[in-house]
Amino acid sequence: MTSNTWPDLDGIAYGGDYNPEQWPREVWDEDVALMREAGVNFVSVGIFSWALLEPKEGLYEFGWLDDLLDLLHANGISADLGTPSVSPPAWFFHQYPEARVTLKDGTVMGFGSRGMASHAAPEYREAIARMAGALADRYASHPAVVMWHIHNEYGVPVAEDFGPRAVASWRRWLQARYETLDALNDAWGTAFWGQRYGDWEHVVAPAATPTIANPAMKLDWARFTDDQLRECFRIERDVIRERASQPITTNFMAHQSWNTDLWKWAREVDVVSDDHYLWAPDPDAHVGLALSADLTRSVAGGNPWILMEHSTSAVNWQGHNVAKRPGEMRRNALTHLGRGADGIAFFQWRASRSGAEKFHSAMVPHAGPRSRVFREVAGLGQDLKALADIRGARTTAAVAVLYDWESLWAHDLEWRPSDDLQFRERMRAYYERLWRDGVQVDFAHPEADLSGYRMVVAPSSYLLTAEAGRNLEAYVEAGGTLVVGAFSGIVDEHDAVHAGGFGAPLKNALGLTIEEFLPLRAGETCHVAYGAESIETDVWAEDMALAGAEVRGTFTDGPGAGLPAITRHQHGTGVSWYVGTRLSVSALAHVFADAYADAGLTPASAPEGVEVMVRTSGAEDFVVVCNHTDDAADLSITGTNALTGAQVDGQLTVAGGDVAVVRTAAGEWGGGR
Ligand code: GLA
């Protein structure tokens, strides 16, 4: 069947994971009444229900789900129907003990939690296909069902599987990729440490090894692991697709996942959906939220997406589960919306009394509906109703930030020049600079068409293929402005250092290569003279071999004293900047001010701590203004506040912690675009 590309729903999708099987039947009636009160129109059901749906192999009990879907439908609430493949029942593992996942050290996972199935096990693959088929046969035309939600957060809690079936499938995967052992030996550089393979049966998985395993093997293993998960997704998706026309999704975890290459995954789903949880140790966790939302929209190709899970208040799985303070949940939700989400959902509807997540917040907390959290949940429901017209509006960005999961995987392998130079930390720092400057960004793959962007930023592109190098070079040549962070363009797709040395694929674009890395000791700092500034920096220095680049910043002390730290290079009609050290968010401001000028970009003029996001329907813009500070902030803008209906005549005042959404003429808020 052909699929729809959005669930058949009016307005913004609003709701959460709903697990009524944890509650007596009479609670369900209260639930739907409260959902109506809160403006909920969309709930995800059945994600963990396998043991109830198939209590014994081949014995299906759909009665309770029939009742539930009927009840939801009667109350005007739509269902995102889950397939329960993340949590097969106890009988399954009893019957098929080989279908359990094996950890690196050989430990076979036991039952009593979730996510312990081996994605390589044929018994698991058959069982998930049967279950998905049975659900689709029964509910493909149920009027409550508007979307299918396959599995849950692929790759969590366990992605890698070192069991014998997984290893056999790894060998098949390698044969398909390399065809000959010579090609594999070449790609993995097995001449090193005498690792040459003479027989496919001898090829092992990177399990427990005395010292570090072959990095190229580990990088392929990460690709294989990701592929295995995607294969299992496809099995369920295709079975459902044969029977049903509702769109199919699975919930991603954007910047918080490691195992899934979302550029690939996004091509497999009808609707991109994402889960995001604030990271409590981060005092500016809302910046990480914005990054995650922009990344999700970008993998979705700019199409609207659904925030499938976030929390109304505290989670339960961090060391210090910080509760959200009044207004914070609303700011979080509307930031996701401002960055392209047309659906806002939570984990979960009603807090569980039992089990591992009883201290996790919910839309209906343990305190019940007469609580601050529920009042805010209902308030958000009202907001989203008022914002129904934003649906489908797009985001335009003048800047692309390069993000590549393969580079993350490769960068995170062991024995790098410095443990302190990290992909995620650098990504966040460069993103945060752009966020603080009010510059709207998309994320892009390094081999993507970048011609539509005025500026491209590559915070951390350790693995950069020769093709990506040519792409960036052509981008600059044609007039683009490129900003590249340290330790980029170092290895190819096999984690082998590029012929021509460190940075060789970017040599023409940047006008330099790197002769030697000069990392600092833990905690050490040094300084860079940049114009009239002396900028403190840490972690990284290096010795560049200039090939035309102009030196704009020089190390004044530390291991690189006297050597170039920051360069600018004119190539074709464009300009490249290179930052050969680890600059803080505030230090990056100096370089970005100059790079914006090269790109002809004007950062937005919003007050500090006020986040402005623009979605456009073409004819009009929706300007979402989120005030993260405690003080009122003023913005120059004209339009109508969609949340209050008030006219905004040239000046908008947003109270501390508040959010406004102004409908304006297209292009009214031009900053940072
Ligand atoms: C994940 C899962 C949910 C739940 C939440 C708790 O995102 O998908 O089932 O465990 O975490 O934060």
Side-chain angles (χ1 to χ4, degrees):
M1 290 204 186
T2 50
S3 61
N4 299 326
T5 51
W6 195 255
D8 183 14
L9 276 175
D10 290 333
I12 305 292
Y14 182 49
D17 281 16
Y18 181 35
N19 298 301
E21 59 269 45
Q22 297 173 14
W23 297 92
R25 177 65 182 77
E26 57 275 15
V27 176
W28 301 10
D29 294 318
E30 187 192 330
D31 282 336
V32 290
L34 289 173
M35 285 177 191
R36 290 172 63 130
E37 191 181 323
V40 164
N41 60 359
F42 175 86
V43 290
S44 299
V45 297
I47 299 171
F48 296 100
S49 306
W50 196 334
L52 285 187
L53 292 169
E54 192 183 6
K56 280 191 186 149
E57 187 163 20
L59 173 75
Y60 295 108
E61 284 186 2
F62 288 123
W64 69 272
L65 189 52
D66 295 349
D67 287 351
L68 175 67
L69 292 174
D70 292 348
L71 178 69
L72 291 171
H73 184 58
N75 284 276
I77 300 156
S78 296
D80 169 35
L81 183 52
T83 67
S85 49
V86 72
S87 209
W91 63 255
F92 174 82
F93 292 109
H94 179 78
Q95 201 121 320
Y96 306 108
E98 322 75 21
R100 291 174 297 161
V101 75
T102 305
L103 302 189
K104 198 178 195 157
D105 64 359
T107 310
V108 180
M109 290 287 94
F111 188 72
S113 178
R114 66 170 168 182
M116 55 172 285
S118 159
H119 287 84
E123 300 84 355
Y124 174 70
R125 291 180 171 213
E126 279 159 29
I128 60 172
R130 266 200 321 273
M131 175 48 82
L135 283 166
D137 282 339
R138 192 160 185 103
Y139 299 113
S141 46
H142 194 289
V145 178
V146 293
M147 186 151 92
W148 296 90
H149 177 304
I150 292 179
H151 201 268
N152 190 63
E153 295 184 338
Y154 276 96
V156 171
V158 183
E160 296 177 309
D161 181 6
F162 295 86
R165 265 95 163 268
V167 173
S169 128
W170 159 240
R171 290 192 188 117
R172 286 193 297 277
W173 185 91
L174 289 170
Q175 273 170 319
R177 183 173 173 84
Y178 292 110
E179 290 176 11
T180 67
L181 268 181
D182 280 349
L184 176 136
N185 279 311
D186 238 29
W188 288 7
T190 55
F192 183 81
W193 280 357
Q195 291 170 359
R196 192 170 179 80
Y197 294 101
D199 189 318
W200 285 105
E201 285 306 301
H202 301 168
V203 178
V204 294
T209 48
T211 180
I212 74 164
N214 181 314
M217 167 165 78
K218 290 188 82 170
L219 179 56
D220 268 345
W221 177 256
R223 293 183 178 114
F224 160 76
T225 299
D226 179 38
D227 265 9
Q228 291 281 288
L229 299 174
R230 216 162 32 250
E231 256 180 45
C232 284
F233 170 78
R234 279 197 216 101
I235 290 173
E236 293 195 60
R237 181 200 61 192
D238 294 349
V239 163
I240 294 172
R241 178 60 63 245
E242 279 167 21
R243 296 161 170 82
S245 61
Q246 297 95 336
I248 298 174
T249 193
T250 182
N251 44 343
F252 300 160
M253 282 166 293
H255 195 49
Q256 295 181 320
S257 75
W258 195 85
N259 297 293
T260 46
D261 180 343
L262 297 184
W263 295 116
K264 290 185 177 160
W265 279 86
R267 294 203 285 267
E268 305 281 351
V269 298
D270 298 315
V271 174
V272 163
S273 65
D274 191 63
D275 298 349
H276 181 267
Y277 291 97
L278 295 183
W279 181 233
D282 179 359
D284 291 321
H286 55 274
V287 180
L289 181 159
L291 190 168
S292 161
D294 282 342
L295 183 56
T296 305
R297 184 192 65 254
S298 302
V299 299
N303 292 309
W305 54 280
I306 294 178
L307 175 68
M308 192 59 89
E309 293 181 24
H310 69 319
S311 65
T312 57
S313 189
V315 298
N316 64 300
W317 44 266
Q318 299 182 11
H320 305 88
N321 295 299
V322 175
K324 293 188 183 178
R325 299 320 299 139
E328 190 173 359
M329 178 266 280
R330 178 171 180 258
R331 289 195 297 281
N332 293 165
L334 295 179
T335 301
H336 284 290
L337 180 108
R339 296 185 182 277
D342 276 357
I344 300 291
F346 294 96
F347 178 84
Q348 63 176 331
W349 166 253
R350 189 183 275 277
S352 304
R353 284 189 56 210
S354 307
E357 295 183 325
K358 55 182 164 292
F359 298 124
H360 198 290
S361 59
M363 298 170 84
V364 183
H366 291 296
R370 269 188 281 280
S371 57
R372 174 190 70 80
V373 166
F374 186 76
R375 281 191 294 277
E376 289 200 26
V377 163
L380 180 60
Q382 288 303 314
D383 287 340
L384 296 177
K385 255 195 199 120
L387 294 173
D389 289 350
I390 205 170
R391 208 174 114 173
R394 316 278 289 198
T395 299
T396 54
V399 176
V401 177
L402 301 186
Y403 196 110
D404 180 6
W405 274 270
E406 296 208 351
S407 193
L408 160 65
W409 295 337
H411 195 148
D412 270 13
L413 296 170
E414 307 96 327
W415 289 6
R416 298 311 182 208
S418 171
D419 286 348
D420 295 335
L421 195 71
Q422 300 266 330
F423 176 97
R424 285 218 162 109
E425 186 279 332
R426 285 293 79 194
M427 195 57 70
R428 165 61 185 270
Y430 278 78
Y431 178 85
E432 184 165 339
R433 182 65 266 150
L434 291 151
W435 186 93
R436 294 201 178 281
D437 294 337
V439 176
Q440 177 63 58
V441 308
D442 284 340
F443 285 91
H445 188 275
E447 291 178 14
D449 175 8
L450 302 167
S451 56
Y453 296 103
R454 277 203 251 166
M455 184 192 258
V456 170
V457 181
S460 179
S461 290
Y462 162 71
L463 184 160
L464 194 80
T465 60
E467 190 181 334
R470 281 192 293 275
N471 191 36
L472 295 177
E473 187 179 326
Y475 167 76
V476 179
E477 211 163 274
T481 300
L482 175 69
V483 181
V484 177
F487 205 42
S488 289
I490 307 301
V491 297
D492 66 10
E493 57 273 36
H494 304 300
D495 196 49
V497 173
H498 279 288
F502 304 140
L506 294 172
K507 181 173 182 178
N508 294 337
L510 297 180
L512 57 87
T513 52
I514 313 302
E515 245 180 73
E516 192 179 9
F517 307 130
L518 307 171
L520 277 69
R521 293 189 173 82
E524 265 179 10
T525 56
C526 63
H527 295 82
V528 172
Y530 187 85
E533 305 285 335
S534 173
I535 305 173
E536 187 176 89
T537 180
D538 63 4
V539 174
W540 195 264
E542 56 190 24
D543 190 354
M544 300 174 194
L546 298 179
E550 167 201 351
V551 178
R552 296 294 293 266
T554 304
F555 291 108
T556 52
D557 53 10
L563 299 176
I566 299 165
T567 61
R568 180 180 182 276
H569 183 56
Q570 189 104 33
H571 179 69
T573 52
V575 169
S576 288
W577 287 83
Y578 178 66
V579 180
T581 182
R582 190 182 82 139
L583 295 185
S584 66
V585 175
S586 53
L588 280 169
H590 303 293
V591 179
F592 271 82
D594 289 336
Y596 292 144
D598 280 333
L601 256 168
T602 320
S605 52
E608 169 117 30
V610 176
E611 183 174 4
V612 184
M613 299 147 271
V614 182
R615 291 183 64 177
T616 183
S617 66
E620 64 173 339
D621 287 354
F622 295 82
V623 181
V624 180
V625 185
C626 187
N627 185 352
H628 296 283
T629 75
D630 293 333
D631 304 316
D634 293 331
L635 232 73
S636 302
I637 193 164
T638 296
T640 313
N641 187 336
L643 293 174
T644 61
Q647 283 302 308
V648 182
D649 295 322
Q651 178 168 311
L652 172 76
T653 301
V654 186
D658 201 2
V659 183
V661 180
V662 185
R663 290 178 84 146
T664 66
E668 162 80 9
W669 182 261
R673 290 197 297 155

